[in-house]
Amino acid sequence: MSELLQKLSECVEFGKGNKAAPYPPQMRGEDGADEIAKQLLETGVPPQQILTLGLMPGMERIGIKFRENKVFVPQVLMSAKAMNTAMSHLKPFFLSGEAKQKGTVIIGTVEGDLHDIGKNLVAMMVEGNGYKVVDLGVDVKSDQFVNSLKENPGAFVGLSALLTTTMPSMEKITKAVKEAVPGAKVAVGGAPVTQEFCNKIGADIYSRDPQGLVEFLNAMV
Ligand code: B12
């Protein structure tokens, strides 16, 4: 069983979705995340273990490689795709409450900003590391974040901005969220965002990559 879990983590790390997938070339013809996740469930391995001992270690390894510039956006997207394929078999168990997730993260690209590639990547990595993600999309306004936070008490909020002109929205949203839900934690990120800006607007954490956010969340739960 541990061998299969190890294999599953490699499928996520190297982006092997299913047996038919030609990528990556060194795993051609082998079972992928799809087949292995099914096999593990059929042999009675709890979904929680498949997530924490199979999928998450693979996602963590790709997150670290991405931070170290050893892999790039396309490889991370392939990993996220493999992860999602496996998750489609596990989701019914999580939705039924049979298996637990570590927490909830509400994420969105701030008002006025339509860039979502980085935000989607962060969402995938966070989900891949065992959190429920509520993705509010792009051009998200303060009241949408506040309403979602009220619907998901205790959730963590993640804001993404790619335009210098939308950074003020980040400040507006951070203030609104903290005013409406005292104690709420807000993470900020995106190419123009800096630690200094994070401090200035009173957000709780800035990270230049998804892995930094995952590590912060893991330390909090
Ligand atoms: C793709 C792109 C677009 C696409 C967006 C498609 C999409 N679905 O996202 C389109 C063509 C629509 C677009 C439109 C525009 N764009 Co544009 N776009 C880009 C481009 C080329 C890539 C951005 C990207 O996806 N990067 C890859 C991702 C993976 O990186 P990332 O977003 O930074 O995310 C990473 C981190 O920042 C972090 N992260 C991101 N979010 C978060 C959140 C949290 C909580 C955390 C912890 C981490 C985190 O994790 C991610 C992974 O490491 C950049 C230039 C560039 N090379 O960066 C310009 C760029 C961002 N765009 C720019 C501009 C000006 C525009 C337009 C205004 C152009 C125009 N005149 O219409 C419009 C704006 C539309 C709008 N209202 O949003 C400028 C911004 C300049 C500035 N300083 O403000 C840039 C820098 C180009 C330039 N050099 O001029 N754009």
Side-chain angles (χ1 to χ4, degrees), residues 2 6-7 12 20 30 48 72 89 103 149 155 186 189 202 207 211:
S2 62
Q6 165 72 17
K7 193 97 194 83
V12 172
E30 294 176 21
Q48 190 72 49
F72 300 99
H89 301 297
L149 192 51
V186 178
S207 171
Q211 191 60 24

Side-chain angles (χ1 to χ4, degrees), residues 17-63:
N18 60 27
K19 192 170 185 167
Y23 180 86
Q26 74 271 21
M27 292 171 92
R28 191 169 290 183
E30 294 176 21
D31 279 348
D34 186 30
E35 292 81 9
I36 298 177
K38 267 196 266 181
Q39 270 180 57
L40 284 162
L41 281 173
E42 277 159 18
T43 50
V45 180
Q48 190 72 49
Q49 275 189 27
I50 301 177
L51 179 68
T52 52
L53 303 179
L55 301 174
M56 280 161 48
M59 214 58 192
E60 192 183 349
R61 290 200 292 271
I62 193 82

Side-chain angles (χ1 to χ4, degrees), residues 66 73 107 112-119 121-122 158-165 187-191 207-210 213:
F66 183 55
V73 171
I107 194 163
D113 204 321
L114 303 177
H115 295 85
D116 68 356
I117 299 171
K119 183 266 296 169
L121 218 53
V122 175
L159 309 178
S160 180
L162 261 285
L163 298 171
T164 44
T165 50
V188 290
S207 171
R208 57 178 282 272
D209 57 32
L213 176 57

Side-chain angles (χ1 to χ4, degrees), residues 72-198:
F72 300 99
V73 171
Q75 282 109 318
V76 180
L77 293 177
M78 293 305 286
S79 288
K81 203 171 161 202
M83 169 93 197
N84 284 340
T85 305
M87 277 305 283
S88 67
H89 301 297
L90 305 191
K91 271 210 170 117
F93 297 92
F94 287 108
L95 294 177
S96 71
E98 205 176 299
K100 285 225 168 333
Q101 284 171 307
K102 291 199 247 172
T104 302
V105 177
I106 299 163
I107 194 163
T109 302
V110 299
E111 182 173 2
D113 204 321
L114 303 177
H115 295 85
D116 68 356
I117 299 171
K119 183 266 296 169
N120 292 345
L121 218 53
V122 175
M124 287 174 196
M125 297 294 281
V126 167
E127 191 176 40
N129 278 277
Y131 294 85
K132 176 184 162 194
V133 171
V134 178
D135 187 345
L136 300 179
V138 296
D139 190 20
V140 187
K141 293 156 192 65
S142 307
D143 56 344
Q144 290 171 271
F145 280 105
V146 169
N147 290 342
S148 180
L149 192 51
K150 287 183 177 162
E151 283 163 21
N152 296 278
F156 197 88
V157 175
L159 309 178
S160 180
L162 261 285
L163 298 171
T164 44
T165 50
T166 56
M167 287 167 73
S169 302
M170 215 167 221
E171 180 166 11
K172 189 172 134 195
I173 295 166
T174 302
K175 293 217 157 82
V177 161
K178 285 184 174 277
E179 216 174 278
V181 184
K185 297 267 182 266
V186 178
V188 290
V193 181
T194 59
Q195 182 63 55
E196 196 189 354
F197 179 73
C198 168

